[in-house]
């Protein structure tokens, strides 16, 4: 079956709040002003020629950062193209993997890393990223600074994460043992089932469980270390919440879109913003006063109208920090971002 997504569209003072209990370790000194912005984009799918050509139009933002939130492509060549251009244009680049990076491309055995499976393929991608100086989910979390009120420097901790999925994004009346059959009733079975291998874990859901446990421990340590003084930016390919998976044409694809184990991470880990991709449906939402950003580019036909309006890859970047002015926005409703 075809992948159904094709069918779906100087140093400054840091303000320290008064706290009780054991002292927290000091926060690093901020960099000199001006502070840069942090942007994100996902699902640039560089296996498609129009997207590769568009990526080469990326413009320099030498004081800013860029988060690449997965589905860059399937090969080391795609990763190298993405990372080299991003590092040429941005001061700091982060990456979290999507499902496409994890594919085992048997037909391309001669290509570096193509025959690797599961965790080995992921770790190969990590090494490619590190060779360009790109920060991965396996690296220490990184501070980012923004201008706050009254001239305070406000610190955030940028956390690229890798969680995968466990087929739990499904209605309550669909049991796990029947989940795949339920999706197949609507002719839904993505390429992942054939090309995303969980080795050395027995199943994808077992790999997901390990990843979630490991990531949760790291995020818990970060929030315990810095307390309420530092808000987190959680950036991973798969949505953290089931209620943010809206796929009008292929609703049963939700099985491959995340895990319910992460649904409260935005409050548990003091998030400022949560960013994801995967759905190819650009949107902004709020849950519990936390902003959620879906920042996919998508396959060429899915952003064709944007190009026809004169928009290029630079217009498709989503500003995470300090973020847009949402003062007059109704945060109880979704902000659809067809044209970003």
């Amino acid at each position: 079956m075809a992948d159904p997504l094709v069918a779906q569209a100087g140093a400054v003072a840091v303000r320290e709040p008064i706290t009780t209990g054991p002292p927290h370790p000091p926060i690093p000194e901020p960099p000199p002003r001006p502070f840069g912005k942090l942007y994100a984009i996902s699902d640039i799918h560089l296996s498609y020629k129009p997207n590769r050509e568009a990526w080469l139009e990326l413009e320099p933002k030498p004081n800013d950062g860029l988060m690449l939130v997965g589905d860059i492509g399937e090969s080391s060549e795609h990763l190298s193209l993405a990372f080299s251009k991003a590092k040429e244009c941005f001061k700091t680049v982060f990456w979290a993997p999507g499902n496409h990076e994890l594919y085992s491309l048997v037909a391309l055995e001669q290509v570096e890393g193509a025959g690797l499976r599961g965790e080995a393929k992921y770790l190969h991608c990590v090494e490619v990223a590190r060779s360009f100086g790109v920060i991965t989910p396996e690296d220490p979390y990184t501070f980012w600074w923004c201008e706050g009120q009254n001239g305070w420097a406000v610190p955030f901790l940028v956390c690229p994460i890798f969680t995968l999925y466990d087929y739990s994004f499904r209605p309550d009346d669909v049991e796990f043992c029947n989940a795949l059959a339920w999706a197949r009733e609507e002719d839904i079975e993505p390429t992942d089932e054939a090309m995303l291998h969980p080795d050395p874990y027995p199943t994808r859901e077992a790999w997901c469980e390990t990843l979630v446990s490991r990531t949760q421990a790291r995020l818990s340590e970060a929030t315990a270390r810095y307390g309420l003084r530092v808000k987190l930016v959680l950036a991973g390919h798969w949505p953290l919440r089931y209620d943010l998976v809206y796929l009008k044409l292929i609703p049963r694809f939700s099985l491959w879109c995340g895990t319910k184990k992460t649904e409260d991470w935005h409050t548990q880990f003091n998030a400022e913003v949560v960013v994801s991709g995967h759905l190819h449906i650009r949107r902004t939402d709020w849950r519990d006063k936390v902003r959620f950003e879906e920042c996919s580019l998508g396959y060429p036909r899915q952003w064709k109208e944007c190009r026809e309006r004169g928009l290029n890859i630079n217009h498709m970047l989503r500003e995470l920090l300090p973020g847009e002015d949402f003062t007059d926005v109704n945060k109880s409703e979704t902000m659809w971002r067809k044209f970003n």
Side-chain angles (χ1 to χ4, degrees), residues 255-273:
L255 288 180
W256 294 271
C257 291
T259 170
K260 290 182 179 179
K261 293 183 174 76
T262 63
E263 293 208 315
D264 68 345
W265 280 15
H266 63 295
T267 54
Q268 183 180 354
F269 299 125
N270 193 31
E272 172 72 12
V273 58

Side-chain angles (χ1 to χ4, degrees), residues 303-340:
W303 67 292
K304 180 173 179 287
E305 287 187 60
C306 298
R307 298 196 306 274
E308 291 173 346
R309 289 184 174 216
L311 304 180
N312 61 35
I313 194 71
N314 300 284
H315 298 103
M316 307 309 290
L317 304 179
R318 188 73 54 81
E319 184 180 321
L320 301 181
L321 294 176
E324 303 171 39
D325 183 0
F326 294 106
T327 303
D328 298 324
V329 173
N330 183 354
K331 298 179 178 63
S332 65
E333 298 180 354
T334 296
M335 176 186 292
W336 301 103
R337 300 281 202 142
K338 183 175 182 179
F339 303 106
N340 212 37

Side-chain angles (χ1 to χ4, degrees), residues 219-235:
L219 294 174
S220 294
E221 192 278 335
T223 52
R225 174 179 291 269
Y226 297 113
L228 298 178
R229 301 178 300 166
V230 179
K231 286 204 163 190
L232 274 56
V233 177
L234 303 180

Side-chain angles (χ1 to χ4, degrees), residues 47-117:
S47 58
Y48 289 83
K49 183 179 178 181
N51 282 17
R52 291 197 302 273
E53 293 172 344
W55 189 246
L56 295 178
E57 296 176 356
L58 196 64
E59 297 172 354
K61 295 181 182 292
N63 198 43
D64 297 337
L66 179 65
M67 170 65 71
L68 296 168
V69 201
D71 278 11
I72 286 173
E74 296 76 27
S75 71
S76 298
E77 181 182 6
H78 298 146
L79 293 175
S80 296
L81 175 59
F83 296 152
S84 60
K85 187 62 180 179
K87 286 292 290 185
E88 177 187 315
C89 295
F90 289 85
K91 178 175 69 174
T92 308
V93 179
F94 306 84
W95 165 79
N99 49 308
H100 280 250
E101 283 94 332
L102 304 177
Y103 286 172
S104 297
L105 305 177
V106 179
L108 297 174
E109 289 288 352
Q110 292 77 20
V111 177
E112 180 187 3
L116 297 175
R117 294 165 65 99

Side-chain angles (χ1 to χ4, degrees), residues 8 16 27 30 40 55 116 148 152 154 163 165 195 205 229 238 241 258 308:
Q8 175 73 51
E16 298 281 355
I27 295 171
W55 189 246
L116 297 175
W152 294 108
V154 181
T163 54
Y165 53 82
M195 297 179 65
E205 56 270 24
R229 301 178 300 166
W238 292 272
R241 295 179 58 88
E308 291 173 346

Side-chain angles (χ1 to χ4, degrees), residues 33-48:
R33 282 187 169 99
F35 302 139
K37 295 181 177 182
L38 179 63
Y39 295 91
I41 192 168
S42 76
D43 298 80
I44 59 176
H45 290 287
L46 297 184
S47 58
Y48 289 83

